[in-house]
């Protein structure tokens, strides 16, 4: 399992265990799975889609950053829309 934390300037959008995370990287969409290599990447406009035991969930973003290290995924994002 991955530990995911999605933070926006307004609040913590999500914090918990997930199976995978799909993010809109500025050079293209990519998926983060268990034991992913360490990475820091900028994010563009799009949707962050994460899979939990309850199913798939998504958050629309207008940009941000993602860091992956030792199965911990941290996203600092700007929300897209009036969430």
């Amino acid at each position: 399992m991955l530990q995911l934390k999605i933070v926006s300037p307004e609040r913590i959008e999500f914090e918990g265990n997930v199976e995978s995370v799909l993010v809109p990287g500025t050079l293209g969409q990519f998926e983060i799975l268990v034991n992913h290599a360490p990475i820091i990447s900028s994010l563009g406009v799009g949707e962050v889609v994460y899979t939990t035991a309850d199913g798939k969930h998504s958050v629309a973003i207008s940009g941000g950053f993602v860091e992956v290290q030792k199965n911990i995924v941290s996203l600092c994002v700007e929300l897209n829309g009036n969430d």
Side-chain angles (χ1 to χ4, degrees):
M1 289 297 249
L2 296 166
Q3 293 178 29
L4 173 63
K5 186 171 187 178
I6 304 174
V7 178
S8 73
E10 293 82 23
R11 62 186 179 269
I12 296 174
E13 297 298 319
F14 177 82
E15 188 169 15
N17 292 326
V18 300
E19 296 171 8
S20 66
V21 185
L22 188 64
V23 296
T26 51
L27 297 178
Q29 194 174 52
F30 64 95
E31 187 171 26
I32 300 161
L33 300 170
V34 174
N35 296 325
H36 193 285
I39 187 173
I40 295 175
S41 178
S42 56
L43 301 175
V45 176
E47 280 192 330
V48 174
V49 180
Y50 55 95
T51 305
T52 67
D54 297 334
K56 289 190 177 191
H57 308 273
S58 66
V59 177
I61 66 167
S62 58
F65 293 90
V66 60
E67 177 186 20
V68 181
Q69 192 169 22
K70 297 181 181 177
N71 291 323
I72 298 172
V73 182
S74 302
L75 280 83
C76 181
V77 299
E78 283 285 338
L79 298 179
N80 189 6
N82 299 325
D83 292 342

